[in-house]
Amino acid sequence: MREERLKQLRKMADEEYKAFNCKLIPGINKERTLGVRVPAIRKLAKEIVKGGWERYLEELENCKLAPGGIGGTELFYEEVMLQGMIIAAAKMERETRLAYIARFVPRIDNWAVCDTFCGDLKFADREENRRRVWEFLQSYLSDDREYFLRFGVVMIMDHYIDVSHIDSILKILAGIHHEGYYVKMAVAWALSMCYVAFPQKTEALIKNNRMDDFTHNKTIQKIRESYRVSKEDKERLKGLKRK
């Protein structure tokens, strides 16, 4: 089944888009990239989840991790993206999905797969799943591996910025100290989204935090880039930047 789906992906490949994507996603393996646009991959995922997806995921999961075992696989970039989309979209029990997610996260080695996967995991938004998924994410939020931690941060940003979780989220984000660029960027991005929803609480944190200067300043930059923040607030926040 994998070979059949790979043929479909190859037919949708675009060399110009491949070149663009490789520039957009630093560190991506050019030899394991086809150049298929996300909407096309998503369309294929929707087709696969109609039937036979279990066998297909089993084939993909049987592909070995890349040398070193830290992110990536022998799969093509688009196959990893497709795998994540199927895990998010297929009908299955909650614990089964969480098990698939736990096996998938080690394969994330770039921001694009991470962020697309997190955004697609809309089962976390269902009331009956929220507490369980929040508990599931805690181990990722304390992990020292860059993309494990980014996964946790982007998940709480995408699915948990609400009245019930904002205080916990701000505490978690302020307590993350990691040298990984993609962790720092995720934390700044998440804090900017927290500001949009809860400006007073988030600004209080910005005024008094122990984050590194890069993350602190990047948070302010991202907030000031938002069209949902007033000019007055942007000017005030500008004064909180560190030199």
Side-chain angles (χ1 to χ4, degrees):
M1 182 175 283
R2 181 199 168 196
E3 288 304 315
E4 176 186 342
R5 299 305 183 183
L6 188 52
K7 287 180 181 178
Q8 289 178 281
L9 288 169
R10 289 184 187 278
K11 288 181 180 179
M12 296 185 286
D14 181 328
E15 281 297 320
E16 289 187 8
Y17 182 72
K18 174 181 175 178
F20 168 78
N21 220 28
C22 288
K23 290 181 180 179
L24 187 66
I25 309 171
I28 193 172
N29 185 344
K30 296 180 181 179
E31 300 302 317
R32 306 302 294 173
T33 305
L34 299 171
V36 183
R37 298 175 186 274
V38 170
I41 303 174
R42 195 177 301 285
K43 183 177 179 180
L44 181 57
K46 289 180 179 179
E47 176 186 320
I48 294 172
V49 298
K50 291 178 181 178
W53 60 267
E54 296 98 331
R55 178 186 163 195
Y56 182 58
L57 287 187
E58 182 180 0
E59 288 188 32
L60 296 184
E61 287 188 337
N62 285 335
C63 292
K64 298 178 181 178
L65 285 172
I70 306 175
T73 67
E74 62 188 31
L75 300 173
F76 283 91
Y77 161 82
E78 288 82 359
E79 290 182 290
V80 179
M81 184 72 82
L82 181 59
Q83 183 180 357
M85 289 177 177
I86 293 169
I87 291 170
K91 292 182 179 181
M92 63 182 84
E93 295 296 321
R94 179 179 66 201
E95 295 305 316
T96 300
R97 198 183 311 275
L98 290 176
Y100 272 117
I101 292 170
R103 295 194 297 270
F104 180 75
V105 172
R107 298 192 163 192
I108 298 174
D109 65 352
N110 63 79
W111 65 263
V113 168
C114 179
D115 298 358
T116 301
F117 184 52
C118 290
D120 283 354
L121 290 173
K122 300 188 187 303
F123 85 113
D125 298 328
R126 294 201 290 270
E127 190 60 36
E128 66 271 20
N129 294 331
R130 292 187 66 69
R131 181 188 294 273
R132 177 68 182 97
V133 177
W134 176 263
E135 293 171 351
F136 174 81
L137 293 173
Q138 299 313 301
S139 64
Y140 294 96
L141 291 164
S142 60
D143 205 292
D144 61 359
R145 288 166 288 188
E146 186 169 13
Y147 284 102
F148 279 59
L149 185 47
R150 183 179 174 100
F151 167 75
V153 170
V154 177
M155 279 296 293
I156 62 174
M157 177 191 70
D158 281 350
H159 304 289
Y160 286 95
I161 298 179
D162 57 28
V163 173
S164 299
H165 296 91
I166 184 60
D167 291 335
S168 296
I169 288 175
L170 291 175
K171 183 177 180 180
I172 289 168
L173 295 176
I176 292 176
H177 303 287
H178 194 282
E179 291 304 309
Y181 174 81
Y182 289 101
V183 170
K184 294 176 187 286
M185 292 297 289
V187 170
W189 182 20
L191 283 171
S192 73
M193 297 303 293
C194 288
Y195 184 90
V196 170
F198 298 93
Q200 293 181 334
K201 286 178 177 287
T202 308
E203 186 167 337
L205 181 147
I206 293 171
K207 288 178 178 177
N208 184 24
N209 70 76
R210 296 183 179 180
M211 295 186 296
D212 62 90
D213 290 350
F214 176 88
T215 306
H216 175 90
N217 289 339
K218 186 61 68 173
T219 296
I220 294 172
Q221 177 188 325
K222 286 187 171 295
I223 294 171
R224 297 182 73 243
E225 289 172 349
S226 174
Y227 66 88
R228 291 183 285 178
V229 177
S230 70
K231 291 182 179 180
E232 293 76 16
D233 288 348
K234 290 179 180 181
E235 283 303 308
R236 186 176 65 258
L237 289 166
K238 184 178 181 181
L240 298 179
K241 291 188 70 174
R242 297 172 186 166
K243 297 181 179 179

